């Protein structure tokens, strides 16, 4: 196992169906990152790096993206987007190393979840500081924090479904039928929101790319108008989606 090939690590680290996981696999992972990640995972395996330090490194790049983006300017936006791609690469790699080496653990799952929390929160707060235009408290910073709170609540609502089911002695796996709200109106709204993918505005990969786009627009216009529009959109989506997700959970059979 000291010098496995990339093909061996890919086979052991990416079991059948991993790209098809509905709520676990990001579209960027399916599109390109899962093709790249085994090369890095192979390096980690050969160096005998355990999976958890890789997850910690993932957190570092996620938080750094938020710090960098706060400085403003086009190049900080580009660098933040690069950091998020590294974050996604490490997010793929830690699981692959864990599966290949047989070192999967509850602690690893926990760290991975926390890594997603802190990274997306950091990026949104950094975006708020960027929109403020200076390192001082203000309305734009508050909007960025509101968006970050919305993201944290959505993730907490999702994770607490698993916690509640575990405490009640119910299985973790939930059928698609149980996910759907009992109300036909709420079910239609859920399908519409899923089709429009509005939640992706506040997810790290998509948001980092949007930040680059608005940074280009800001550079052309010579102000922060585009960045501020994005902050408003993120705050709106974060707050509305956190409430809608809460209602959707209670209105479905996920807790039965």
């Amino acid at each position: 196992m000291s010098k496995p090939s990339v093909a061996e690590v890919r086979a052991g680290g990416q079991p059948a169906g991993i790209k098809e996981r509905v709520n676990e696999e990001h579209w960027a992972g399916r599109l390109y990152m899962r093709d790249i990640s085994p090369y890095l995972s192979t390096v980690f395996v050969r160096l005998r790096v355990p999976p958890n330090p890789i997850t910690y490194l993932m957190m570092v790049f996620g938080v750094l993206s938020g710090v960098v983006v706060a400085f403003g300017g086009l190049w900080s936006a580009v660098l933040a987007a690069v950091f998020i791609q590294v974050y996604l690469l490490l997010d793929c790699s830690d699981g692959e190393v864990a599966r290949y080496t047989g070192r999967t653990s509850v602690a690893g799952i926990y760290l991975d979840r926390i890594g997603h929390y802190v990274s997306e929160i950091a990026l949104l707060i950094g975006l708020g500081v960027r929109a403020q235009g200076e390192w001082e408290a203000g309305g734009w910073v508050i909007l960025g924090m509101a968006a970050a709170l919305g993201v944290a609540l959505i993730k907490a609502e999702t994770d607490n479904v698993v916690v509640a089911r575990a405490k009640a002695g119910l299985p973790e796996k939930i059928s698609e039928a149980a996910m759907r709200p009992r109300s036909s109106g709420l079910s239609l709204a859920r399908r519409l929101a899923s089709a429009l993918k509005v939640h992706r505005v506040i997810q790290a990969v998509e948001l980092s790319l949007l930040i680059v786009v608005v940074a280009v627009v800001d550079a052309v216009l010579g102000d922060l108008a585009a960045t501020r529009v994005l902050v408003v959109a993120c705050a709106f989506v974060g707050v509305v989606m956190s409430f809608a997700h809460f209602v959707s959970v209670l209105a479905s059979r996920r807790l039965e």
Side-chain angles (χ1 to χ4, degrees):
M1 194 179 70
S2 58
K3 288 189 178 181
S5 67
V6 173
E8 289 171 331
V9 173
R10 188 190 302 276
Q14 293 186 10
I18 192 169
K19 291 185 179 183
E20 287 71 42
R21 297 179 300 175
V22 177
N23 295 318
E24 297 292 330
E25 191 69 13
H26 194 275
W27 62 264
R30 290 192 293 270
L31 185 62
Y32 61 89
M33 198 58 81
R34 285 292 181 187
D35 295 327
I36 300 170
S37 57
Y39 293 93
L40 180 61
S41 299
T42 301
V43 173
F44 284 133
V45 171
R46 290 178 178 178
L47 293 176
R48 300 181 183 275
V49 179
N52 286 356
I54 302 171
T55 308
Y56 283 121
L57 189 59
M58 177 195 83
M59 291 186 199
V60 169
F61 275 96
V63 173
L64 275 178
S65 68
V67 173
V68 167
V69 83
F71 283 93
L74 178 57
W75 287 110
S76 71
V78 172
L79 184 58
V82 171
F83 282 170
I84 288 296
Q85 290 298 310
V86 176
Y87 153 87
L88 178 61
L89 174 61
L90 292 167
D91 187 32
C92 292
S93 189
D94 62 357
E96 291 170 359
V97 172
R99 284 185 288 271
Y100 180 79
T101 60
R103 300 181 71 170
T104 56
S105 66
V106 176
I109 296 170
Y110 176 80
L111 286 174
D112 187 74
R113 299 299 300 174
I114 293 296
H116 291 301
Y117 272 66
V118 298
S119 299
E120 293 189 2
I121 287 171
L123 186 58
L124 283 161
I125 293 175
L127 177 61
V129 175
R130 181 187 186 90
Q132 190 67 33
E134 54 189 357
W135 288 84
E136 292 185 7
W140 297 108
V141 178
I142 293 172
L143 277 178
M145 293 176 70
L149 178 60
V151 164
L153 283 173
I154 292 168
K155 291 183 179 299
E157 289 160 5
T158 300
D159 290 345
N160 273 289
V161 170
V162 178
V163 172
R165 290 178 64 86
K167 287 193 172 186
L170 297 173
E172 179 182 342
K173 188 172 180 60
I174 305 171
S175 68
E176 180 58 34
M179 297 280 285
R180 290 193 292 269
R182 296 181 181 89
S183 164
S184 58
L186 286 174
S187 182
L188 177 61
R190 179 175 178 266
R191 290 197 301 272
L192 182 61
S194 178
L196 294 175
K197 310 295 184 186
V198 292
H199 62 285
R200 288 186 174 176
V201 174
I202 50 176
Q203 292 183 337
V205 174
E206 292 86 345
L207 179 57
S208 69
L209 299 176
L210 286 172
I211 290 172
V212 173
V213 172
V214 299
V216 172
V217 176
D218 284 345
V220 173
L221 298 178
D223 58 27
L224 294 170
T227 292
R228 288 173 173 173
V229 168
L230 180 59
V231 172
V232 171
C234 288
F236 178 80
V237 171
V239 172
V240 171
M241 289 296 294
S242 62
F243 177 74
H245 188 256
F246 175 74
V247 172
S248 176
V249 169
L250 292 179
S252 69
R253 294 181 175 83
R254 277 174 261 193
L255 301 177
E256 297 177 0

